[in-house]
Amino acid sequence: MTNHTPRVQLLLTGNEIMSGDTVDSNSALIAKRLDELAISVYRKVTVGDDPALLKSELASMAQAADVVIINGGLGPTVDDLTAEILAAVAGVELAEHPEALAHLESWCAGRNLPLNAANRKQALLPAGCHVIDNPIGSAVGFEMTVSDCRIICTPGVPGELRAMLDWIISDLARGLQRPVERDILRLQTFGLGESSAQQLISDQIPDWPQEVELGFRAGAPQMEIKLSIDRNEDQPARAHCLAQLEALFGDHIIGQGDTLLAGRVLSLLRERKATLATAESCTGGLIASMLTQIPGSSDAFHAGFVTYANDIKRDVLGVSQADLDTHGAVSEEVVRAMALGAMDRARANYAVAVSGIAGPGGGSDDKPVGTVWLAWGEREHLRTRCLCWPVERSLFQTMIAAAALDMIRRMLLGIDEEPRYFRQRRAR
Amino acid sequence: MTNHTPRVQLLLTGNEIMSGDTVDSNSALIAKRLDELAISVYRKVTVGDDPALLKSELASMAQAADVVIINGGLGPTVDDLTAEILAAVAGVELAEHPEALAHLESWCAGRNLPLNAANRKQALLPAGCHVIDNPIGSAVGFEMTVSDCRIICTPGVPGELRAMLDWIISDLARGLQRPVERDILRLQTFGLGESSAQQLISDQIPDWPQEVELGFRAGAPQMEIKLSIDRNEDQPARAHCLAQLEALFGDHIIGQGDTLLAGRVLSLLRERKATLATAESCTGGLIASMLTQIPGSSDAFHAGFVTYANDIKRDVLGVSQADLDTHGAVSEEVVRAMALGAMDRARANYAVAVSGIAGPGGGSDDKPVGTVWLAWGEREHLRTRCLCWPVERSLFQTMIAAAALDMIRRMLLGIDEEPRYFRQRRAR
C-alpha cells in the first residue's frame, strides 16, 4: 500500500441483510474505526448470497479501490461464499490452509465439539492468502492483494468483526506509515432543528474554514453537531469554530460527547446539593424515566408523580378542585399547583410540572392537540409557559419531557434568554 | 411497469451512513415491506453526499433495474442532493413544484415556523416528477420514470419513510396488477429469546411446512415472530403452524400485528372497566411512560408514583419505616406495601410495584445488581416474586418494566402458568 489515503470500498454479503431480517451495523462499525485513520468509506455495496453477482461486484471494486473490505460469508454453511468468490476473482484455487485448520481444531477442542465437515470447510481458503486471527469465533479472516487492491475478508458476527478490526486498523496504519489522525468533537444540543442550525451557521459564520468538517445528526430529542478536523490541520481553526457556534447558540448546547439532558440536569443539581421532583400529566412518567436512566440519579431525584386524572392531581398533589373546574387541567394555575405540590411532598428544592394534550384525542378549539403548560423552578421562583407543539403523540411526549428538563437546566445555569423553540412555539 | 416481478435496487445516500454515525435501518424497513409483494431487493449501494458518484450509480442502476428506490438526501441542507441528481440523470431541470411548496407552507404554518430558504429548497424537484405525500415531515417524496426504470425518492427520517412506504407498496402492487401477494402474520411475544424460540420450534414442531416461512425479530422488550406464506400457497398450513406455536408458547404471545404489552394491558383493563396504578423504584417511571404512550390510556391509568428514595416510599405510599429498616427497600414486604399504597392513593383496582438494583452501583453480596422484587395484582390477590436479571442498566429497566406489565396481563387473562423467564431468572 502506498502512503496516500487509500480509497476504501465495502462489500457486504448475506441474504439476511438483503431481506431486512438483520439490520447491518457492521459497516457502521468498520467506518467508525477507519475514521481513526482519517479514511472514509467511499462506496458500499450490499448483495445477497449470489455467486455471479458477488464475483462481478468484487472484480469491479478491485479495479477501482485500494482496499476492499468484505463482510460476511465466512461461515460453515453452503451459502457462505466469500472464500470461493475471492479465489475466483484472484484466479487461484481453494486450498486447505494449515493455520486456519489449526485454529478450527483448537476452537472445537475448547468447546468439546467434534470437527465436522461444515466446520472444516472454513479452512478452505484462496491459495496464497494471509490468515487473520479470529480471537472469538471459528471463522478466521483472510486477505490477499489482487490487481494492486488489498482485499480483506471479515466475519459477519459483530463481536468477531470487532475483535478482528483492531488488527486490521493497526495494520492499515502501519501501511500508511502514520498514526491515527482525526480529532472529532461532538456537541449535544436541544431545541435546534437541522435546517435552522444549518441556515444560522451559513448566515452568521460565512468564513467557516473548509478544513473543519461540520456534520449534524438529528435525533429526538437531541441533535448532535460534529466538528472534525485532521490532526495535522490547523487546530486553532476548530477552536475558533467552536467559539463561534457557542456565541451563536451556546445556550442550546447541553454538553460535549454523549451528554444527555437528564444527565446534565442531574450533575447541575448535584453541584448545588439540590433535588428535583416531577409532576407529570401528558408526559406520563417520561421525565422521571429519563432522569432515572442515568446511573446515580438517586442523589438528586427522589420522587415523581404521574397524575394523569384530575382527582389524582387534587388528592395526591393538592391542586384545588376550584382551579380544575375553573381553568381546566391544562392551565397555568394547575401546573403551578402541581409543581408546588410535588416540591412539597418530595421535600425537593426544584420541581417541574407538565399538563397538556398529547392527542390524538382530547383537543378543543381553545386548547388544540399539542397545547401544553409547563411550570418549573423553586418555591419562591416558579415560572410557567404555554407551548403548542402539534406533533405525533410519542414525539410530543419526548420533546415536551426534554423541554421541561431543559427549562431546569437553563434555570440552574442562570440562562435568562428565552430558548429559540419557545419563541417559535409559544401558544400565548 | 410490466407484470413480471420487478428487479429492485436501493440507492442509499448520506455522509452520516457512510461515516457510521447512523446505522441504516431504512433499507431493512424497505426490504421487509417489499417482501409483502414477494419482491426481493437485488442489490443495494450506499454512497456519501458526492454528486458525481451519486449520478454514476443512479445512471447505471436505471439501466439494470426496473425499480430504484433512493433513500435520503431530501432534506433542506446543501448536502441533500437527491432532487438534483435525479434531474441530471433524467436530463430535466429542477423546478419549484407547487404541490410540494403547498405542503411545505402548510407544514411550517402548522408549527408556527417561517418558511425559510432552506425549507423552500425542498420544493425544488425534477420537472415532470410526481410528488409522494409525506404525512409527517417537511420533505415530500417524488418519483419519475427514466429509461423504463421507475425511480422513487424517499426521505431518510425513518418515521417519514415508514409513513410513505404504505403508498409506495400499494402503488407497486397496482403496477404489478396483482394484489399484495404474501400473507404475513406477525406475533408479538415477550419473554422468549430468538435462539431458544428457534430451538423449541425445531425440536417440538419437526413437521413445520416448508412453504410457511418463519422469521424472528428480536427487540427489547418484545420479540416478533413472523409467519409468511404466498397467497396462492396452502393457507391451512399457516393456520396449522399458528396453532402449533400457540400450543408451544401461547402464554408468551401478547398479540398480533403491532400490539404492545402496555396496549394489551390497557385493553384488558378497559374490558373490565378496571384501573391500574404503578409504584416504581428502579424502573423510575418507565412503566407509567409505557402505559401513557398508548393513546386513550387515561381510561384505565390514572396515577403512577415514582418513589425513588426510602422516605418517599414511606411518606407517599405508606410503606412502614420498620419494613424499610428490617428488610431494606428491595424486599417482598416493601414492594407489597408499595403496591397496596399505590392502589389506595389512586383508588385503582390493580397495582404493580417494582423495587430493585438497576446498577451499576448499589449491589451487595446478598442482593447483587440485577435483583428486583415485583408485586402485582388486586388488593385481595396480590402476588410477589423476586428475579435476578443482571444486564446493563437501561436494558434492565426496559425488561423489568415489561415483565411487570406482563404479570398484570397474565393475571387479567387468568394465565396461571409461570412464564419461562421466571423459571430461568428466579432469584429465590
Side-chain angles (χ1 to χ4, degrees), chain A residues 386-390 421-427, chain B residues 111 113:
Chain A
C386 186
L387 298 181
C388 189
W389 212 317
Y421 55 92
F422 263 23
R423 277 173 260 158
Q424 288 161 354
R425 313 243 182 218
R426 182 153 35 182
Chain B
R111 279 154 192 79
L113 296 172

Side-chain angles (χ1 to χ4, degrees), chain A residues 17-25 27-29 31-32 35 41-48 50 53 57 186 194-196 198-199 213-214 216-217 224 226 278 280-299 301-309 311-312 314-316 345-347 359-360 388 390-391 393-394 397 423-427, chain B residues 15-25 27-29 31-32 35 41-48 50 53 57 76-80 110-114 116-119 213 215-217 226 278 281-299 301-309 311-312 314-316 345-347 359-360 393-394 397:
Chain A
I17 309 177
M18 290 315 278
S19 69
D21 285 334
T22 298
V23 168
D24 156 47
S25 57
S27 54
L29 185 62
K32 278 191 173 290
D35 199 33
V41 176
Y42 176 69
R43 180 171 176 267
K44 175 173 89 182
V45 175
T46 313
V47 294
D50 173 332
L53 186 56
E57 295 292 345
R186 294 182 299 128
E194 205 175 343
S195 73
S196 62
Q198 168 82 69
Q199 185 81 49
E213 194 190 326
L214 180 68
F216 299 96
R217 187 172 58 167
E224 179 180 299
K226 190 171 95 170
T278 56
E280 305 184 60
S281 188
C282 61
T283 48
L286 186 57
I287 303 175
S289 178
M290 288 164 80
L291 288 164
T292 55
Q293 268 166 35
I294 310 290
S297 45
S298 56
D299 291 352
F301 177 72
H302 298 172
F305 301 87
V306 184
T307 54
Y308 220 53
D311 59 335
I312 302 294
R314 185 191 63 208
D315 297 347
V316 171
R345 277 145 193 75
R347 289 182 291 277
C388 189
V391 291
R393 181 179 180 92
S394 103
Q397 292 176 318
R423 277 173 260 158
Q424 288 161 354
R425 313 243 182 218
R426 182 153 35 182
Chain B
N15 286 341
E16 71 288 0
I17 309 177
M18 291 314 279
S19 68
D21 286 336
T22 298
V23 168
D24 156 48
S25 57
S27 54
L29 184 63
K32 279 188 172 287
D35 196 35
V41 176
Y42 176 68
R43 178 173 178 267
K44 176 172 88 180
V45 175
T46 313
V47 294
D50 173 333
L53 184 58
E57 295 292 345
T77 63
V78 288
D79 53 5
D80 287 306
R111 279 154 192 79
N112 278 322
L113 296 172
N116 63 24
N119 283 128
E213 193 190 328
F216 299 95
R217 188 173 57 166
K226 188 172 93 171
T278 56
S281 189
C282 62
T283 49
L286 186 57
I287 303 175
S289 178
M290 288 165 80
L291 288 163
T292 55
Q293 269 166 35
I294 310 290
S297 45
S298 56
D299 292 352
F301 178 71
H302 296 174
F305 301 87
V306 184
T307 54
Y308 221 52
D311 59 335
I312 303 293
R314 184 191 65 209
D315 297 347
V316 171
R345 277 145 193 75
R347 291 182 289 277
R393 181 180 180 91
S394 103
Q397 291 176 320

